[in-house]
Amino acid sequence: MKIICIGRNYVAHVKELGNEIPKEPVLFMKPDSAIFRQRDAFYIPDWTNEVHYEAEIVIKINRLGKNIEEKFAPKYYSQFTLGIDFTARDIQKNLKALGLPWEKSKAFDQSAVLGEYLNVNDYSLDNLNFELKINGRVVQSGNTKSMIYTIPQIINHCSEFFTLKIGDLIFTGTPEGVGKVNAGDELEGFIEGKKILHVKIR
Ligand code: ZN
């Protein structure tokens, strides 16, 4: 399976990083080895001094598809969750400045955290509140209605380039409020007030 991530999909987040509003979805990928499997904690790698959290709604693809039209896109996922796209921002800044690919900063081991899956039918995905707390304080508070590209538009665009397969994940972008994690932090993610994920930082 593969993990496709959307960058720059919330205006306030695009601005906080000093980026341009994209003219089409910005895509990058993480390999399956990026999935966070440590049950106890996320260990900050020793090659970075600045790992940022990015809380994002993640959809799980449940049908094989290519060139999926927007109107049919909702048939391709039945589960979603909240995830964290951990990003080594210092490494990413250097790579961006050199015009090089971002993978080292985005696709490293344990960089894709996934919460408990929820059923699409129980929620309204185009108006979904989600939140990330660090040590009990809200640091990111988003709603999917602020996305520049909707989930069906994202699926349409991704599937023009990449065949979507069962089990693939799509991280749909982060709202504003990204920041650095520090050893000792406790991250908690919520969808519509329901606690979906919990990660300790070491
Ligand atoms: Zn992200």
Side-chain angles (χ1 to χ4, degrees):
M1 57 80 68
K2 60 187 169 293
I3 304 168
I4 301 173
C5 304
I6 309 301
R8 306 178 190 171
N9 202 25
Y10 289 82
V11 171
H13 170 66
V14 174
K15 291 188 173 159
E16 77 180 343
L17 291 185
N19 290 317
E20 300 278 313
I21 305 291
K23 294 192 173 61
E24 57 180 44
V26 174
L27 307 185
F28 61 93
M29 289 208 226
K30 294 177 189 262
D32 57 3
S33 50
I35 292 175
F36 178 75
R37 300 196 188 275
Q38 312 284 119
R39 289 194 166 266
D40 53 345
F42 172 84
Y43 292 83
I44 298 172
D46 58 9
W47 43 261
T48 171
N49 292 311
E50 195 187 13
V51 172
H52 274 196
Y53 52 81
E54 294 189 357
E56 315 196 0
I57 295 299
V58 180
I59 56 165
K60 190 189 228 177
I61 297 298
N62 67 356
R63 287 175 68 178
L64 183 75
K66 172 77 181 163
N67 293 323
I68 300 162
E69 286 181 50
E70 260 178 62
K71 64 181 175 190
F72 298 124
K75 295 182 184 296
Y76 286 80
Y77 54 96
S78 57
Q79 288 190 303
F80 71 103
T81 186
L82 186 72
I84 300 175
D85 164 21
F86 275 131
T87 303
R89 195 72 73 199
D90 50 353
I91 306 295
Q92 188 195 28
K93 275 180 197 153
N94 292 339
L95 294 170
K96 277 166 77 175
L98 295 168
L100 295 172
W102 299 352
E103 274 84 352
K104 287 181 193 172
S105 66
K106 282 283 196 184
F108 59 91
D109 287 356
Q110 319 295 343
S111 64
V113 179
L114 297 160
E116 174 194 332
Y117 285 96
L118 302 174
N119 290 319
V120 166
N121 292 340
D122 299 335
Y123 293 86
S124 149
L125 257 65
D126 51 5
N127 182 5
L128 191 71
N129 290 297
F130 57 100
E131 231 173 37
L132 184 72
K133 290 184 185 178
I134 298 192
N135 305 326
R137 186 174 63 91
V138 177
V139 290
Q140 286 192 286
S141 178
N143 185 297
T144 51
K145 67 178 184 229
S146 309
M147 286 179 167
I148 297 171
Y149 295 103
T150 63
I151 292 171
Q153 287 171 329
I154 289 168
I155 287 178
N156 169 257
H157 189 75
C158 290
S159 69
E160 278 184 44
F161 297 89
F162 312 115
T163 298
L164 298 182
K165 292 185 164 185
I166 294 170
D168 286 352
L169 299 171
I170 303 180
F171 278 65
T172 59
T174 195
E176 70 275 21
V178 300
K180 188 180 170 182
V181 294
N182 294 293
D185 284 347
E186 293 219 23
L187 277 56
E188 294 171 292
F190 300 82
I191 291 177
E192 294 294 351
K194 180 179 163 69
K195 187 168 164 181
I196 296 294
L197 69 79
H198 182 196
V199 186
K200 287 181 190 167
I201 308 294
R202 293 268 162 78

